Amino acid sequence: MSSLAMLASITAHAADTMYVAGFGGSVEAAFRDKIIPAFEAKAGIKVVYVPGNSTDTLAKLQAQKGKQEISVAIIDDAPMSVAVDAGLCEKLEEGSNSKNVYPSARRPGGQAIGLGYGATGLVYNTQVFAKNGWAPPTSWKDLEDKRYAGKMVIPPISNGFGLLALIMEARLNGGSENNIDPGFAVMKRIAPGVLSWEPSPGKMAEMLQTGEAAVGVWGNGRVRTLVAQGAPVKFVYPREGALVILSEVCPVKGAPQPQQAQAFIQHLLSPEMQAIFTEATGLGPVNKETKLAPALAADVVYGPDNVARLVKTDTKVINANRAAWTARWNREVER
């Protein structure tokens, strides 16, 4: 059934209320002001948005298993793997918009699908680099450059960006998620030059903005926000690739309004709603038909060339090993 036919079939249930869980902040505002009203007008159903981070939403789904209240859940890829493995997500029905989603945004099995692309790469302070006559960083290997000793900031392994940096270093040095030793070897070499393993996004932004830190590892969305505030920083897609952070959405298994949930996800994947989601989040659109204004397109993961530069990770292996890696990190790297 097409998404339009699906919408038509559910219009009679105007008194129903459907709960959608997703991120807070500017994302919540975009959903309340633009994304949800457009769906309600077509579907004749009331939609209530439940804000929270991915961990919060996953915990709610786990606690409500068998008596779900949330019908659509928006979660980042690693916790989404936990949700799918726990049987919390229903299989997504293919529709007119999901068929235009890039292959790399599709989850095997089809119980969830990407909603927006983020990239983890390098960030640097342009003024500090210009003052020192340094060329901009271009490679993950630049993190080992002795010139940056004491001027480098990287989030810890408890933060997704630090974890992805560890995995990328493993991959570039003969390892992988299944052989993390080479990654730890590189991070131990890097550690003496790290000014701070900074977990706070606010503190990290301050260090990069003031030039206390000259270079680091961060997400393109975080850097985009900092640039908008006037900070002299720039995001770099390393030549070896930037690691993807994929926000995903799933129809919740056993939840009320299952057909409306399927239709809402197709609505989210439409080119128009993808553009709104990108503007609110800084996450690049997964629907290849989405059109963005040039200024916004230059700021996010957009188009087949940029999507092809993203490196996917095995979230199932990461989830299984994260506790052991964290203990090892605390012993060997961040001492």
Side-chain angles (χ1 to χ4, degrees), residues 34-311:
K34 298 177 181 179
I35 295 174
I36 287 175
F39 181 78
E40 288 176 331
K42 294 185 292 184
I45 184 173
K46 175 69 176 176
V47 177
V48 174
Y49 191 79
V50 183
N53 62 37
S54 293
T55 304
D56 293 337
T57 299
L58 175 60
K60 289 173 185 174
L61 297 183
Q62 291 169 323
Q64 295 173 4
K65 189 172 184 179
K67 52 183 189 304
Q68 296 289 359
E69 298 175 1
I70 295 167
S71 295
V72 176
I74 299 166
I75 307 175
D76 285 332
D77 48 6
M80 184 63 85
S81 291
V82 176
V84 169
D85 289 346
L88 298 172
C89 294
E90 189 61 80
K91 189 176 178 65
L92 181 70
E93 297 173 10
E94 189 74 286
S96 57
N97 293 315
S98 59
K99 71 179 183 181
N100 289 322
V101 168
Y102 289 107
S104 63
R106 292 181 172 273
R107 178 175 287 272
Q111 286 91 354
I113 194 167
L115 190 57
Y117 286 117
T120 298
L122 305 179
V123 56
Y124 71 103
N125 182 298
T126 56
Q127 290 181 350
V128 173
F129 269 65
K131 180 181 177 181
N132 287 280
W134 296 338
T138 60
S139 167
W140 287 99
K141 294 186 181 299
D142 288 331
L143 294 176
E144 299 184 65
D145 193 322
K146 301 300 183 185
R147 291 181 300 176
Y148 309 143
K151 300 288 288 183
M152 189 157 52
V153 60
I154 301 175
I157 195 173
S158 58
N159 179 293
F161 301 122
L163 175 64
L164 291 175
L166 170 67
I167 292 169
M168 192 65 183
E169 293 294 0
R171 287 186 170 209
L172 294 177
N173 291 276
S176 67
E177 292 90 325
N178 290 299
N179 175 19
I180 203 68
D181 290 353
F184 273 101
V186 174
M187 297 309 286
K188 284 192 287 186
R189 289 203 302 271
I190 290 172
V194 174
L195 171 65
S196 176
W197 303 99
E198 183 51 57
S200 165
K203 180 61 177 177
M204 183 129 175
E206 178 186 327
M207 294 173 73
L208 287 164
Q209 185 168 12
T210 61
E212 180 183 3
V215 66
V217 175
W218 222 13
N220 70 313
R222 298 282 192 190
V223 177
R224 174 177 178 258
T225 300
L226 204 50
V227 170
Q229 296 169 357
V233 297
K234 190 171 183 179
F235 181 79
V236 175
Y237 289 85
R239 61 172 175 262
E240 303 91 347
L243 293 116
V244 65
I245 295 179
L246 188 66
S247 288
E248 295 184 276
V249 60
C250 87
V252 179
K253 191 170 186 177
Q257 297 92 26
Q259 290 304 305
Q260 291 96 327
Q262 295 280 349
F264 188 76
I265 292 173
Q266 293 298 325
H267 173 70
L268 291 179
L269 295 173
S270 70
E272 297 78 15
M273 295 303 111
Q274 282 273 283
I276 291 170
F277 187 76
T278 295
E279 179 69 46
T281 62
L283 297 172
V286 299
N287 186 324
K288 61 188 177 184
E289 301 299 322
T290 305
K291 305 299 182 188
L292 301 179
L296 179 57
D299 265 355
V300 301
V301 178
Y302 179 64
D305 291 342
N306 276 341
V307 169
R309 296 160 72 186
L310 297 176
V311 177

